[in-house]
Amino acid sequence: MAINNNDQFATLAVHAGSHVDSHGSVIEPISLSTTFAQSAPAKPLGEYEYSRSSNPNRKNFEDAIAALEKGKYGLAFASGSATTAIILQSLPQGSHAISIGDVYGGTHRYFTKVANTHGVETDFTNNLLEDLPKLVKPQTKLVWIETPTNPTLQVTDIKLVSETIKSINKDILLVVDNTFLSPYLSNPLTLGADIVVHSATKYINGHSDVVMGVLALNDKVLFEKLQFLQNAVGAIPSPFDSWLAHRGLKTLHLRVKQASESALKIATFLENTTDKVIAVNYPGLKSHPQNAVVQKQHRNGLGGGMISFRIKGGAEAAAKFSSSTRLFTLAESLGGIESLLEVPAVMTHGGIPKESREASGVYDDLVRLSVGIEDVEDLLEDIKQALNAASA
Ligand SMILES: *Cc1c(COP(=O)(O)O)cnc(C)c1O
């Protein structure tokens, strides 16, 4: 089942990291063993010794992610947040980092409430490209971005950010959180990122039944540093979760393609429903402010499965809409086969003061949709009836 260098995404999704075992099992068994036999002291029979350090199911998943992200190495963790923690833990004391104002809330929390306790200071900006030259200091070690952002789906030109950083100091690492697009739509390592990270909880596992994180990269020295921390800190996923996430990954391309196609139809409908909708944020729309970047940065210019829109009628209409849907479940999280919706101002972004929330476009009337893989006609019908209910 050897994959080769010319294999394309869907082939890699199905075959990378998948091996036929000695029984001929087409799907690798779940290896629950915590420890592995040795033939003589310090001479393991195979490639594994102790399951925290590495185990077959986690290694298969890590290899698959590395292949799909076009990187040399992959490392999996107990959550997306643990992945973030390990990367920030790898920075020396006294380091400086730069990130975006609307970075994922948990990442912001780690920067400002945990990484600072070991002497890592972070600046946040809402205008990264313009501010980078001013913000970089001699001790700046890392820039952390997300594209598209959550929940307003602003898109950043990764290649341009990478070139700007490297022209100032080539040793500054660029980390891209690629959770919202998945490796099917974008491969940041090919655009100049040094590390790509995912909350595998979202599109990669894709079935809303595993919490996990993963990163991929090319640099061997950096890989060994992060692998050391993966083992030393021990925030690792179980073999069962690794197996489930790997199974989910095999259909990533089908799920993300369908979600993107449906999301474009839904976003177009919302954009045309001007009597009930104020504005729509969707990277796949021609009207999106960074659609030109989307066209070159995303596979086939696809916009992904995430949409946000401002409903007419304020917080009250947003609440009414989100409790009136039949198929869209009102819940946090995203990237699963089932459609979800949420109201960021009172749910995922409820902890941010109103003023700074609204400065980045998160108004009380903003609704976020995670479009699943149900029939789009049914999803559109559901949205229409909920819009009617909200405006009644
Ligand atoms: C969910 C999420 C995370 C955190 O991942 P967990 O698996 O929940 O710890 C990080 N970044 C983004 C963009 C996310 O959506």
Side-chain angles (χ1 to χ4, degrees):
M1 205 58 60
I3 52 169
N4 77 36
N5 289 339
N6 298 324
D7 286 336
Q8 301 199 24
F9 193 95
T11 306
L12 292 174
V14 174
H15 292 293
S18 294
H19 312 280
V20 174
D21 74 358
S22 55
H23 303 292
S25 311
V26 168
I27 295 299
E28 208 151 355
I30 302 171
S31 171
L32 293 175
S33 192
T34 55
T35 190
F36 297 84
Q38 310 200 4
S39 58
K43 294 272 178 288
L45 286 177
E47 70 179 283
Y48 303 105
E49 288 172 47
Y50 182 64
S51 194
R52 168 165 33 78
S53 315
S54 191
N55 64 68
N57 299 108
R58 193 177 90 206
K59 180 71 164 60
N60 293 344
F61 175 69
E62 290 171 337
D63 288 349
I65 291 292
L68 294 184
E69 277 293 9
K70 300 187 167 38
K72 288 205 181 88
Y73 311 101
L75 288 169
F77 299 89
S79 64
S81 305
T83 314
T84 304
I86 293 296
I87 294 170
L88 297 185
Q89 181 64 41
S90 75
L91 299 177
Q93 271 216 355
S95 296
H96 175 247
I98 299 168
S99 190
I100 51 171
D102 46 3
V103 70
Y104 177 73
T107 307
H108 187 273
R109 181 174 58 208
Y110 202 91
F111 270 123
T112 55
K113 300 216 159 75
V114 188
N116 62 326
T117 62
H118 87 265
V120 174
E121 294 304 330
T122 309
D123 279 313
F124 299 91
T125 166
N126 289 322
N127 203 344
L128 183 71
L129 274 165
E130 194 171 305
D131 291 349
L132 263 178
K134 293 185 285 220
L135 291 175
V136 171
K137 304 177 186 183
Q139 65 273 32
T140 303
K141 292 277 190 286
L142 174 148
V143 175
W144 185 294
I145 65 169
E146 235 169 87
T147 175
T149 58
N150 176 28
T152 55
L153 303 161
Q154 298 303 298
V155 173
T156 301
D157 188 332
I158 298 171
K159 192 156 180 279
L160 192 56
V161 170
S162 166
E163 285 166 2
T164 309
I165 296 167
K166 304 293 171 180
S167 74
I168 302 171
N169 177 351
K170 63 174 179 39
D171 293 330
I172 298 175
L173 297 177
L174 174 62
V175 182
V176 177
D177 183 336
N178 196 26
T179 300
F180 267 46
L181 291 182
S182 89
Y184 181 61
L185 293 190
S186 170
N187 292 129
L189 297 179
T190 65
L191 302 168
D194 298 287
I195 306 176
V196 55
V197 307
H198 287 276
S199 168
T201 314
K202 318 294 167 53
Y203 286 101
I204 285 179
N205 177 62
H207 294 72
S208 307
D209 49 14
V210 171
V211 172
M212 201 193 288
V214 68
L215 64 82
L217 76 174
N218 279 311
D219 185 80
K220 186 158 189 273
V221 173
L222 188 56
F223 164 69
E224 284 169 354
K225 192 169 169 182
L226 296 170
Q227 186 185 38
F228 172 84
L229 285 171
Q230 180 193 41
N231 180 49
V233 174
I236 48 132
S238 70
F240 183 53
D241 281 354
S242 302
W243 184 90
L244 275 177
H246 193 182
R247 178 168 77 163
L249 182 68
K250 293 177 190 208
T251 55
L252 178 70
H253 50 292
L254 302 175
R255 291 184 284 104
V256 172
K257 189 162 177 275
Q258 182 59 57
S260 295
E261 286 170 9
S262 298
L264 178 60
K265 289 189 179 146
I266 292 169
T268 304
F269 165 76
L270 290 168
E271 193 173 45
N272 292 331
T273 309
T274 49
D275 59 327
K276 298 191 177 74
V277 173
I278 300 171
V280 182
N281 305 309
Y282 183 64
L285 286 175
K286 291 277 171 291
S287 60
H288 188 280
Q290 295 97 31
N291 188 256
V293 180
V294 173
Q295 294 303 329
K296 63 174 183 175
Q297 190 160 286
H298 297 194
R299 181 189 299 269
N300 301 332
L302 292 174
M306 300 300 294
I307 303 171
S308 65
F309 69 98
R310 294 186 64 191
I311 191 168
K312 283 192 178 163
E316 207 184 320
K320 190 82 212 303
F321 175 85
S322 51
S323 3
S324 303
T325 49
R326 175 177 71 91
L327 295 171
F328 282 83
T329 302
L330 178 55
E332 295 188 2
S333 200
L334 60 115
I337 50 172
E338 67 292 302
S339 293
L340 301 179
L341 90 174
E342 65 126 359
V343 180
V346 290
M347 294 172 67
T348 48
H349 294 61
I352 308 172
K354 190 177 166 91
E355 230 169 74
S356 46
R357 181 158 58 66
E358 293 195 341
S360 55
V362 187
Y363 297 96
D364 292 345
D365 55 15
L366 191 75
V367 176
R368 187 186 80 176
L369 306 176
S370 170
V371 177
I373 61 168
E374 303 94 332
D375 280 295
V376 68
E377 292 77 12
D378 295 332
L379 295 178
L380 276 167
E381 205 48 53
D382 193 24
I383 286 174
K384 281 179 205 168
Q385 67 79 20
L387 280 174
N388 288 338
S391 66

